[in-house]
Coordinates of all heavy atoms in Angstrom, one line a residue:
M251 N -21.5 -12.8 -14.4 CA -20.8 -14.0 -14.0 C -21.1 -14.3 -12.5 O -21.0 -13.5 -11.7 CB -19.3 -13.9 -14.2 CG -18.6 -15.1 -13.9 SD -16.8 -14.8 -14.4 CE -16.1 -16.1 -13.5
S252 N -21.5 -15.5 -12.2 CA -21.9 -15.9 -10.9 C -20.9 -17.0 -10.4 O -20.5 -17.9 -11.2 CB -23.3 -16.5 -10.9 OG -23.6 -17.0 -9.6
L253 N -20.5 -16.9 -9.2 CA -19.6 -17.9 -8.6 C -20.3 -18.6 -7.5 O -20.7 -18.1 -6.5 CB -18.3 -17.1 -8.0 CG -17.2 -18.0 -7.5 CD1 -16.6 -18.9 -8.5 CD2 -16.1 -17.1 -6.9
D254 N -20.4 -20.0 -7.7 CA -21.1 -20.8 -6.7 C -20.1 -21.4 -5.7 O -19.3 -22.2 -6.1 CB -21.9 -21.9 -7.4 CG -22.7 -22.8 -6.4 OD1 -22.9 -22.4 -5.3 OD2 -23.1 -23.9 -6.8
L255 N -20.1 -20.9 -4.5 CA -19.2 -21.4 -3.5 C -19.8 -22.4 -2.6 O -19.2 -22.9 -1.7 CB -18.7 -20.2 -2.6 CG -18.0 -19.0 -3.3 CD1 -17.7 -17.9 -2.4 CD2 -16.8 -19.5 -4.1
G256 N -21.1 -22.8 -2.9 CA -21.8 -23.8 -2.1 C -21.1 -25.1 -2.0 O -21.3 -25.9 -1.0
N257 N -20.4 -25.5 -3.0 CA -19.8 -26.9 -3.1 C -18.4 -26.9 -2.4 O -17.8 -28.0 -2.3 CB -19.7 -27.3 -4.5 CG -21.0 -27.5 -5.2 OD1 -22.0 -27.8 -4.5 ND2 -21.1 -27.4 -6.5
L258 N -17.9 -25.8 -2.0 CA -16.6 -25.7 -1.4 C -16.7 -26.0 0.1 O -17.6 -25.7 0.8 CB -16.0 -24.3 -1.5 CG -15.6 -23.9 -2.9 CD1 -15.0 -22.5 -2.9 CD2 -14.6 -24.8 -3.6
S259 N -15.6 -26.7 0.6 CA -15.6 -27.0 2.0 C -15.2 -25.7 2.8 O -14.8 -24.7 2.2 CB -14.5 -28.1 2.3 OG -13.2 -27.5 2.1
S260 N -15.3 -25.7 4.1 CA -15.0 -24.6 4.9 C -13.5 -24.2 4.7 O -13.1 -23.0 4.6 CB -15.3 -24.8 6.3 OG -14.9 -23.8 7.1
A261 N -12.7 -25.2 4.7 CA -11.2 -25.0 4.5 C -10.9 -24.4 3.1 O -10.1 -23.5 3.0 CB -10.4 -26.3 4.7
D262 N -11.6 -24.9 2.1 CA -11.4 -24.4 0.7 C -11.9 -22.9 0.7 O -11.3 -22.1 0.0 CB -12.2 -25.2 -0.3 CG -11.6 -26.5 -0.6 OD1 -10.4 -26.7 -0.3 OD2 -12.3 -27.4 -1.0
K263 N -13.0 -22.6 1.3 CA -13.5 -21.2 1.4 C -12.5 -20.3 2.1 O -12.2 -19.2 1.6 CB -14.9 -21.1 2.1 CG -16.0 -21.7 1.2 CD -17.3 -21.6 2.0 CE -18.4 -22.3 1.2 NZ -19.7 -22.3 2.0
D264 N -11.9 -20.8 3.2 CA -10.9 -20.0 3.9 C -9.7 -19.8 3.1 O -9.1 -18.7 3.0 CB -10.5 -20.7 5.2 CG -11.6 -20.7 6.3 OD1 -12.6 -19.9 6.1 OD2 -11.5 -21.5 7.2
N265 N -9.3 -20.8 2.3 CA -8.1 -20.7 1.5 C -8.4 -19.7 0.3 O -7.5 -18.9 0.0 CB -7.8 -22.1 0.9 CG -6.5 -22.1 0.1 OD1 -5.6 -21.3 0.3 ND2 -6.4 -23.0 -0.8
L266 N -9.6 -19.8 -0.2 CA -9.9 -18.9 -1.3 C -10.0 -17.4 -0.8 O -9.4 -16.5 -1.4 CB -11.3 -19.2 -1.9 CG -11.8 -18.4 -3.0 CD1 -10.9 -18.4 -4.2 CD2 -13.2 -18.8 -3.4
M267 N -10.5 -17.2 0.4 CA -10.6 -15.9 1.0 C -9.2 -15.4 1.3 O -8.9 -14.2 1.0 CB -11.4 -15.9 2.3 CG -11.6 -14.6 2.9 SD -12.4 -13.5 1.8 CE -13.8 -13.2 2.7
E268 N -8.3 -16.2 1.7 CA -6.9 -15.8 2.0 C -6.2 -15.4 0.7 O -5.5 -14.4 0.6 CB -6.1 -16.9 2.6 CG -4.7 -16.6 3.0 CD -4.0 -17.7 3.7 OE1 -4.6 -18.3 4.6 OE2 -2.8 -17.8 3.5
Q269 N -6.4 -16.2 -0.4 CA -5.9 -15.8 -1.7 C -6.4 -14.5 -2.2 O -5.6 -13.7 -2.8 CB -6.1 -16.9 -2.7 CG -5.4 -18.2 -2.5 CD -5.7 -19.3 -3.5 OE1 -6.4 -19.1 -4.4 NE2 -5.2 -20.5 -3.2
V270 N -7.7 -14.2 -2.0 CA -8.3 -13.0 -2.5 C -7.7 -11.8 -1.7 O -7.3 -10.8 -2.2 CB -9.8 -13.0 -2.3 CG1 -10.4 -11.6 -2.5 CG2 -10.4 -14.0 -3.3
Q271 N -7.5 -12.0 -0.4 CA -7.0 -11.0 0.5 C -5.5 -10.7 0.1 O -5.1 -9.5 0.1 CB -7.0 -11.4 2.0 CG -8.4 -11.3 2.5 CD -8.5 -11.9 3.9 OE1 -7.7 -12.7 4.4 NE2 -9.6 -11.6 4.6
Q272 N -4.8 -11.7 -0.3 CA -3.4 -11.5 -0.7 C -3.4 -10.7 -2.1 O -2.5 -9.8 -2.2 CB -2.7 -12.8 -0.9 CG -2.3 -13.5 0.4 CD -1.8 -14.9 0.2 OE1 -1.7 -15.4 -0.9 NE2 -1.4 -15.6 1.3
Q273 N -4.3 -11.0 -3.0 CA -4.3 -10.3 -4.2 C -4.7 -8.9 -4.0 O -4.2 -8.0 -4.7 CB -5.3 -11.0 -5.2 CG -4.8 -12.4 -5.7 CD -3.5 -12.3 -6.5 OE1 -3.4 -11.4 -7.3 NE2 -2.6 -13.2 -6.2
V274 N -5.6 -8.6 -3.1 CA -6.0 -7.2 -2.8 C -4.8 -6.5 -2.2 O -4.6 -5.3 -2.5 CB -7.2 -7.2 -1.9 CG1 -7.5 -5.8 -1.3 CG2 -8.5 -7.7 -2.6
A275 N -4.1 -7.1 -1.3 CA -2.9 -6.5 -0.7 C -1.9 -6.2 -1.7 O -1.3 -5.1 -1.7 CB -2.4 -7.4 0.4
I276 N -1.6 -7.1 -2.7 CA -0.7 -6.8 -3.7 C -1.1 -5.7 -4.6 O -0.3 -4.8 -4.9 CB -0.5 -8.1 -4.6 CG1 0.3 -9.1 -3.8 CG2 0.3 -7.8 -5.9 CD1 0.3 -10.5 -4.4
A277 N -2.4 -5.6 -4.9 CA -2.9 -4.5 -5.8 C -2.8 -3.2 -5.0 O -2.4 -2.2 -5.6 CB -4.4 -4.8 -6.1
N278 N -3.1 -3.2 -3.7 CA -2.9 -2.0 -2.9 C -1.5 -1.5 -2.9 O -1.2 -0.3 -3.0 CB -3.5 -2.2 -1.5 CG -5.0 -2.2 -1.5 OD1 -5.7 -1.7 -2.3 ND2 -5.5 -2.8 -0.4
L279 N -0.6 -2.4 -2.7 CA 0.9 -2.1 -2.7 C 1.3 -1.5 -4.0 O 2.0 -0.5 -4.1 CB 1.7 -3.3 -2.3 CG 3.2 -3.1 -2.2 CD1 3.5 -2.1 -1.2 CD2 3.9 -4.4 -1.9
Q280 N 0.9 -2.2 -5.1 CA 1.2 -1.7 -6.4 C 0.7 -0.2 -6.6 O 1.4 0.6 -7.2 CB 0.7 -2.6 -7.5 CG 1.4 -3.9 -7.6 CD 0.8 -4.9 -8.5 OE1 -0.4 -4.9 -8.8 NE2 1.6 -5.8 -9.1
Q281 N -0.5 0.0 -6.2 CA -1.1 1.3 -6.3 C -0.4 2.3 -5.5 O -0.1 3.5 -5.9 CB -2.6 1.3 -5.9 CG -3.3 2.6 -6.0 CD -3.3 3.2 -7.4 OE1 -3.6 2.4 -8.3 NE2 -3.1 4.5 -7.6
M282 N 0.0 1.9 -4.3 CA 0.8 2.8 -3.4 C 2.1 3.2 -4.0 O 2.5 4.4 -4.1 CB 1.0 2.2 -2.0 CG 1.8 3.1 -1.1 SD 2.3 2.3 0.4 CE 3.7 1.3 -0.2
V283 N 2.8 2.2 -4.6 CA 4.1 2.5 -5.2 C 4.0 3.4 -6.4 O 4.7 4.3 -6.6 CB 4.8 1.2 -5.6 CG1 6.0 1.4 -6.5 CG2 5.3 0.4 -4.3
S284 N 2.9 3.1 -7.2 CA 2.7 4.0 -8.4 C 2.4 5.4 -8.0 O 2.9 6.3 -8.6 CB 1.5 3.4 -9.2 OG 1.2 4.2 -10.2
T285 N 1.5 5.6 -7.0 CA 1.2 6.9 -6.5 C 2.5 7.6 -6.0 O 2.7 8.8 -6.3 CB 0.1 6.9 -5.4 OG1 -1.0 6.2 -6.0 CG2 -0.2 8.2 -4.9
M286 N 3.2 6.9 -5.2 CA 4.4 7.5 -4.6 C 5.4 7.9 -5.7 O 6.0 9.0 -5.7 CB 5.1 6.5 -3.6 CG 6.4 7.0 -3.1 SD 7.3 5.8 -2.1 CE 7.7 4.6 -3.4
T287 N 5.6 7.0 -6.6 CA 6.5 7.3 -7.8 C 6.1 8.6 -8.5 O 6.9 9.5 -8.8 CB 6.6 6.1 -8.7 OG1 7.0 5.0 -8.0 CG2 7.5 6.4 -9.9
S288 N 4.8 8.6 -8.8 CA 4.3 9.8 -9.6 C 4.4 11.1 -8.8 O 4.9 12.1 -9.3 CB 2.8 9.5 -9.9 OG 2.2 10.6 -10.5
K289 N 4.0 11.1 -7.5 CA 4.1 12.3 -6.7 C 5.5 12.7 -6.5 O 5.8 13.9 -6.6 CB 3.4 12.1 -5.4 CG 1.9 12.0 -5.5 CD 1.2 11.9 -4.1 CE -0.3 11.8 -4.3 NZ -0.9 13.0 -4.9
C290 N 6.4 11.8 -6.2 CA 7.8 12.2 -5.9 C 8.5 12.6 -7.2 O 9.3 13.5 -7.2 CB 8.5 11.0 -5.2 SG 8.0 10.7 -3.5
F291 N 8.2 12.0 -8.3 CA 8.7 12.4 -9.6 C 8.3 13.8 -9.9 O 9.2 14.7 -10.2 CB 8.3 11.5 -10.7 CG 8.9 11.8 -12.0 CD1 10.2 11.3 -12.4 CD2 8.3 12.7 -12.9 CE1 10.8 11.6 -13.6 CE2 8.9 13.0 -14.1 CZ 10.1 12.5 -14.5
E292 N 7.0 14.1 -9.7 CA 6.5 15.5 -10.0 C 7.2 16.5 -9.1 O 7.5 17.6 -9.5 CB 5.0 15.5 -9.8 CG 4.3 14.8 -10.9 CD 2.8 14.8 -10.7 OE1 2.3 15.6 -9.9 OE2 2.1 13.9 -11.3
K293 N 7.4 16.1 -7.8 CA 7.9 17.1 -6.8 C 9.4 17.3 -7.0 O 9.9 18.4 -6.9 CB 7.7 16.5 -5.4 CG 8.3 17.4 -4.3 CD 8.0 16.7 -3.0 CE 8.6 17.4 -1.8 NZ 8.9 18.7 -1.8
C294 N 10.2 16.2 -7.4 CA 11.6 16.3 -7.3 C 12.3 16.5 -8.7 O 13.5 16.9 -8.7 CB 12.1 15.0 -6.7 SG 11.6 14.8 -4.9
I295 N 11.8 16.0 -9.7 CA 12.5 16.0 -11.0 C 12.0 17.2 -11.9 O 10.9 17.2 -12.5 CB 12.3 14.7 -11.8 CG1 12.6 13.5 -10.9 CG2 13.1 14.7 -13.0 CD1 14.0 13.4 -10.3
S296 N 12.8 18.2 -11.9 CA 12.4 19.4 -12.7 C 12.9 19.3 -14.1 O 12.2 19.9 -15.0 CB 13.0 20.7 -12.0 OG 14.4 20.6 -11.9
K297 N 14.0 18.7 -14.3 CA 14.5 18.5 -15.7 C 14.9 17.1 -16.0 O 16.1 16.7 -15.7 CB 15.6 19.5 -15.9 CG 16.7 19.5 -14.9 CD 17.7 20.6 -15.2 CE 18.9 20.5 -14.3 NZ 19.3 20.6 -13.2
P298 N 14.0 16.2 -16.4 CA 14.4 14.8 -16.7 C 15.5 14.7 -17.7 O 15.6 15.5 -18.6 CB 13.1 14.2 -17.3 CG 12.0 15.2 -16.9 CD 12.6 16.5 -16.8
G299 N 16.4 13.8 -17.4 CA 17.5 13.5 -18.3 C 17.9 12.1 -18.1 O 17.2 11.2 -17.6
S300 N 19.1 11.8 -18.6 CA 19.6 10.4 -18.6 C 20.2 10.0 -17.2 O 20.4 8.9 -16.9 CB 20.7 10.2 -19.6 OG 21.8 11.1 -19.4
E301 N 20.4 11.0 -16.3 CA 20.9 10.8 -15.0 C 20.2 11.7 -14.0 O 19.7 12.7 -14.3 CB 22.4 11.1 -14.9 CG 23.3 10.2 -15.7 CD 24.8 10.6 -15.6 OE1 25.1 11.5 -14.8 OE2 25.6 9.9 -16.2
L302 N 20.2 11.2 -12.7 CA 19.7 12.1 -11.7 C 20.9 12.8 -11.0 O 21.9 12.1 -10.7 CB 19.0 11.2 -10.6 CG 17.7 10.5 -11.0 CD1 17.2 9.6 -9.9 CD2 16.6 11.5 -11.4
D303 N 20.8 14.1 -10.8 CA 21.8 14.8 -10.1 C 21.6 14.5 -8.6 O 20.6 14.0 -8.1 CB 21.9 16.2 -10.4 CG 20.7 17.0 -10.0 OD1 20.0 16.7 -9.1 OD2 20.5 18.1 -10.7
S304 N 22.6 14.9 -7.8 CA 22.6 14.6 -6.3 C 21.4 15.2 -5.6 O 20.8 14.6 -4.7 CB 23.9 15.0 -5.7 OG 24.1 16.4 -5.7
S305 N 21.0 16.4 -6.1 CA 19.8 17.1 -5.4 C 18.5 16.3 -5.8 O 17.6 16.2 -4.9 CB 19.7 18.5 -5.8 OG 19.5 18.7 -7.2
D306 N 18.4 15.8 -7.0 CA 17.2 15.0 -7.4 C 17.2 13.7 -6.6 O 16.2 13.3 -6.1 CB 17.3 14.7 -8.9 CG 17.0 15.8 -9.8 OD1 16.5 16.9 -9.3 OD2 17.4 15.7 -11.0
Q307 N 18.4 13.1 -6.4 CA 18.4 11.8 -5.6 C 18.0 12.1 -4.2 O 17.3 11.3 -3.6 CB 19.8 11.2 -5.7 CG 20.2 10.7 -7.1 CD 21.6 10.2 -7.1 OE1 22.3 10.0 -6.1 NE2 22.1 9.9 -8.3
K308 N 18.6 13.1 -3.6 CA 18.2 13.5 -2.2 C 16.8 13.7 -2.0 O 16.1 13.3 -1.1 CB 19.1 14.6 -1.7 CG 18.9 15.0 -0.3 CD 19.8 16.1 0.2 CE 19.6 16.4 1.6 NZ 20.4 17.4 2.1
C309 N 16.2 14.5 -3.0 CA 14.8 14.9 -2.9 C 13.9 13.6 -3.0 O 13.0 13.4 -2.2 CB 14.4 15.9 -4.0 SG 12.7 16.4 -4.0
L310 N 14.2 12.7 -4.0 CA 13.5 11.5 -4.1 C 13.6 10.6 -2.9 O 12.6 10.1 -2.4 CB 14.0 10.7 -5.3 CG 13.6 11.3 -6.7 CD1 14.4 10.6 -7.8 CD2 12.1 11.1 -6.9
S311 N 14.8 10.5 -2.3 CA 14.9 9.7 -1.1 C 14.1 10.2 0.0 O 13.4 9.5 0.7 CB 16.4 9.7 -0.7 OG 16.6 8.9 0.4
M312 N 14.2 11.5 0.2 CA 13.4 12.1 1.3 C 11.9 12.0 1.1 O 11.1 11.8 2.0 CB 13.8 13.6 1.5 CG 15.2 13.7 2.1 SD 15.8 15.4 2.2 CE 14.7 16.1 3.3
C313 N 11.5 12.2 -0.2 CA 10.1 12.1 -0.5 C 9.6 10.7 -0.2 O 8.5 10.5 0.4 CB 9.9 12.5 -2.0 SG 8.1 12.4 -2.5
M314 N 10.3 9.7 -0.7 CA 9.9 8.3 -0.5 C 9.9 8.0 1.0 O 9.0 7.3 1.5 CB 10.7 7.4 -1.3 CG 10.5 7.5 -2.8 SD 11.4 6.3 -3.8 CE 12.9 6.1 -3.1
D315 N 10.9 8.5 1.8 CA 10.9 8.2 3.2 C 9.7 8.8 3.9 O 9.1 8.2 4.7 CB 12.2 8.8 3.8 CG 13.4 8.0 3.5 OD1 13.3 6.9 3.0 OD2 14.5 8.5 3.7
R316 N 9.3 10.0 3.6 CA 8.2 10.7 4.1 C 6.9 9.9 3.8 O 6.0 9.7 4.6 CB 8.0 12.1 3.7 CG 9.0 13.1 4.4 CD 8.6 14.5 4.2 NE 8.6 14.9 2.7 CZ 9.6 15.3 2.0 NH1 10.8 15.4 2.6 NH2 9.5 15.6 0.7
Y317 N 6.8 9.5 2.5 CA 5.6 8.7 2.1 C 5.5 7.5 2.9 O 4.4 7.2 3.4 CB 5.8 8.5 0.6 CG 4.5 8.1 -0.1 CD1 3.6 9.1 -0.6 CD2 4.0 6.8 -0.3 CE1 2.4 8.8 -1.2 CE2 2.8 6.5 -0.9 CZ 2.0 7.5 -1.3 OH 0.8 7.2 -1.9
F318 N 6.6 6.7 3.0 CA 6.5 5.4 3.8 C 6.2 5.7 5.2 O 5.4 5.0 5.9 CB 7.8 4.6 3.6 CG 7.9 3.9 2.3 CD1 9.0 4.1 1.5 CD2 6.9 3.0 1.9 CE1 9.1 3.4 0.3 CE2 7.0 2.3 0.7 CZ 8.1 2.5 -0.1
D319 N 6.8 6.8 5.8 CA 6.5 7.1 7.2 C 5.0 7.4 7.4 O 4.4 7.0 8.4 CB 7.3 8.3 7.7 CG 8.8 8.0 7.9 OD1 9.1 6.8 8.0 OD2 9.6 8.9 7.9
T320 N 4.5 8.1 6.4 CA 3.0 8.5 6.5 C 2.2 7.2 6.4 O 1.2 7.1 7.2 CB 2.7 9.5 5.4 OG1 3.5 10.6 5.5 CG2 1.2 9.8 5.4
I321 N 2.5 6.4 5.5 CA 1.7 5.1 5.3 C 1.8 4.3 6.6 O 0.8 3.7 7.1 CB 2.2 4.3 4.1 CG1 2.0 5.0 2.8 CG2 1.6 2.9 4.1 CD1 0.5 5.2 2.5
N322 N 3.0 4.2 7.2 CA 3.2 3.4 8.4 C 2.4 4.0 9.5 O 1.7 3.3 10.3 CB 4.7 3.3 8.8 CG 5.4 2.3 7.9 OD1 4.9 1.4 7.4 ND2 6.7 2.6 7.8
T323 N 2.4 5.3 9.7 CA 1.6 6.0 10.7 C 0.1 5.7 10.6 O -0.6 5.4 11.5 CB 1.9 7.5 10.8 OG1 3.3 7.7 11.0 CG2 1.1 8.2 11.8
V324 N -0.4 5.9 9.4 CA -1.8 5.7 9.1 C -2.1 4.2 9.4 O -3.2 3.9 10.0 CB -2.1 6.1 7.6 CG1 -3.5 5.6 7.3 CG2 -2.0 7.6 7.5
S325 N -1.3 3.3 8.9 CA -1.6 1.9 9.1 C -1.6 1.5 10.6 O -2.5 0.8 11.0 CB -0.5 1.0 8.4 OG -0.6 1.2 7.0
K326 N -0.7 2.0 11.4 CA -0.6 1.7 12.8 C -1.9 2.3 13.5 O -2.5 1.7 14.4 CB 0.6 2.3 13.4 CG 1.9 1.5 13.1 CD 3.1 2.1 13.7 CE 4.4 1.4 13.2 NZ 5.6 2.0 13.7
T327 N -2.2 3.5 13.1 CA -3.4 4.2 13.7 C -4.6 3.4 13.4 O -5.5 3.2 14.3 CB -3.5 5.7 13.3 OG1 -2.3 6.3 13.6 CG2 -4.7 6.4 13.9
Y328 N -4.8 3.0 12.2 CA -5.9 2.3 11.7 C -6.0 0.9 12.5 O -7.1 0.5 12.9 CB -5.9 2.1 10.2 CG -7.1 1.4 9.7 CD1 -8.4 2.0 9.6 CD2 -7.0 0.1 9.1 CE1 -9.5 1.3 9.1 CE2 -8.1 -0.6 8.6 CZ -9.3 0.1 8.6 OH -10.4 -0.6 8.1
T329 N -4.9 0.2 12.6 CA -4.9 -1.1 13.2 C -5.3 -0.9 14.7 O -6.1 -1.7 15.2 CB -3.5 -1.7 13.1 OG1 -3.2 -1.9 11.7 CG2 -3.4 -3.1 13.8
T330 N -4.7 0.1 15.4 CA -5.0 0.4 16.8 C -6.5 0.7 16.9 O -7.1 0.2 17.9 CB -4.2 1.5 17.3 OG1 -2.8 1.2 17.1 CG2 -4.5 1.9 18.7
R331 N -7.0 1.5 16.0 CA -8.5 1.8 16.1 C -9.3 0.6 15.9 O -10.3 0.4 16.6 CB -8.8 2.8 15.0 CG -10.2 3.3 15.1 CD -10.5 4.3 14.1 NE -11.9 4.6 14.0 CZ -12.5 5.4 13.1 NH1 -11.7 6.0 12.2 NH2 -13.8 5.7 13.2
L332 N -9.0 -0.3 14.9 CA -9.8 -1.5 14.7 C -9.7 -2.4 16.0 O -10.7 -3.0 16.4 CB -9.2 -2.3 13.5 CG -9.6 -1.7 12.2 CD1 -8.9 -2.6 11.1 CD2 -11.1 -1.7 11.9
Q333 N -8.5 -2.5 16.6 CA -8.4 -3.4 17.8 C -9.2 -2.8 18.9 O -9.9 -3.6 19.6 CB -6.9 -3.5 18.2 CG -6.1 -4.3 17.2 CD -4.6 -4.3 17.5 OE1 -4.1 -3.4 18.2 NE2 -3.9 -5.2 16.9
R334 N -9.2 -1.5 19.1 CA -9.9 -0.9 20.1 C -11.4 -1.1 19.9 O -12.2 -1.4 20.9 CB -9.6 0.6 20.2 CG -10.2 1.3 21.4 CD -9.7 2.8 21.5 NE -10.0 3.6 20.3 CZ -9.0 4.2 19.7 NH1 -7.8 4.2 20.1 NH2 -9.3 4.9 18.6
E335 N -11.9 -0.9 18.7 CA -13.3 -1.0 18.4 C -13.8 -2.5 18.5 O -14.9 -2.7 19.0 CB -13.6 -0.5 17.0 CG -13.6 1.0 16.9 CD -13.8 1.6 15.5 OE1 -14.0 0.8 14.6 OE2 -13.8 2.8 15.4
S336 N -12.9 -3.4 18.1 CA -13.3 -4.8 18.2 C -13.4 -5.2 19.7 O -14.1 -6.1 20.1 CB -12.4 -5.7 17.4 OG -11.1 -5.8 18.0
G337 N -12.6 -4.6 20.6 CA -12.6 -4.9 22.0 C -13.8 -4.3 22.7 O -14.3 -4.8 23.7
M338 N -14.5 -3.3 22.1 CA -15.7 -2.7 22.7 C -16.9 -3.5 22.4 O -17.9 -3.3 23.1 CB -15.8 -1.3 22.1 CG -14.8 -0.3 22.5 SD -15.1 1.2 21.6 CE -14.4 2.4 22.8
Q339 N -16.9 -4.4 21.4 CA -18.1 -5.1 21.0 C -18.3 -6.3 21.9 O -17.6 -6.9 22.5 CB -18.1 -5.5 19.6 CG -18.0 -4.3 18.7 CD -17.9 -4.7 17.2 OE1 -17.7 -5.9 16.8 NE2 -17.9 -3.7 16.3

């Protein structure tokens, strides 16, 4: 399948690119949540049942907090690196 973008105006191309970037960001977020859910479930839930006991709840909360902290740290470091590298060019 081929997509001919030659007939699009510059504004239309920019709009299309923005929509694609948003879709990629949504897909990345969905993947991150899925991964976090899977990893934290495996780590914290030893005996699945109809309810979570308080230790399971605490473990899940701490696991998710650590996961988000890690993602934030990596994102900030990556952004800083990109800014530094773009300033060098």
Side-chain angles (χ1 to χ4, degrees):
M251 181 175 164
S252 177
L253 183 61
D254 182 17
L255 301 177
N257 295 334
L258 293 178
S259 70
S260 178
D262 288 339
K263 287 178 185 177
D264 289 345
N265 187 27
L266 180 61
M267 185 60 117
E268 185 177 320
Q269 288 177 9
V270 168
Q271 289 172 339
Q272 288 174 356
Q273 291 299 316
V274 168
I276 289 169
N278 286 338
L279 181 60
Q280 288 172 333
Q281 180 63 41
M282 182 191 72
V283 169
S284 176
T285 301
M286 177 188 61
T287 300
S288 177
K289 289 186 181 297
C290 291
F291 183 87
E292 288 175 20
K293 176 180 173 33
C294 296
I295 309 300
S296 56
K297 49 183 185 296
S300 61
E301 294 181 359
L302 295 175
D303 63 28
S304 62
S305 64
D306 290 343
Q307 290 177 11
K308 184 176 180 181
C309 181
L310 285 170
S311 178
M312 291 175 64
C313 180
M314 292 188 319
D315 287 346
R316 282 192 305 270
Y317 199 85
F318 282 124
D319 288 344
T320 301
I321 294 296
N322 285 334
T323 300
V324 169
S325 295
K326 286 178 186 176
T327 303
Y328 183 69
T329 301
T330 301
R331 182 177 174 187
L332 286 177
Q333 290 171 345
R334 186 175 55 238
E335 288 178 359
S336 68
M338 294 177 150
Q339 296 175 355

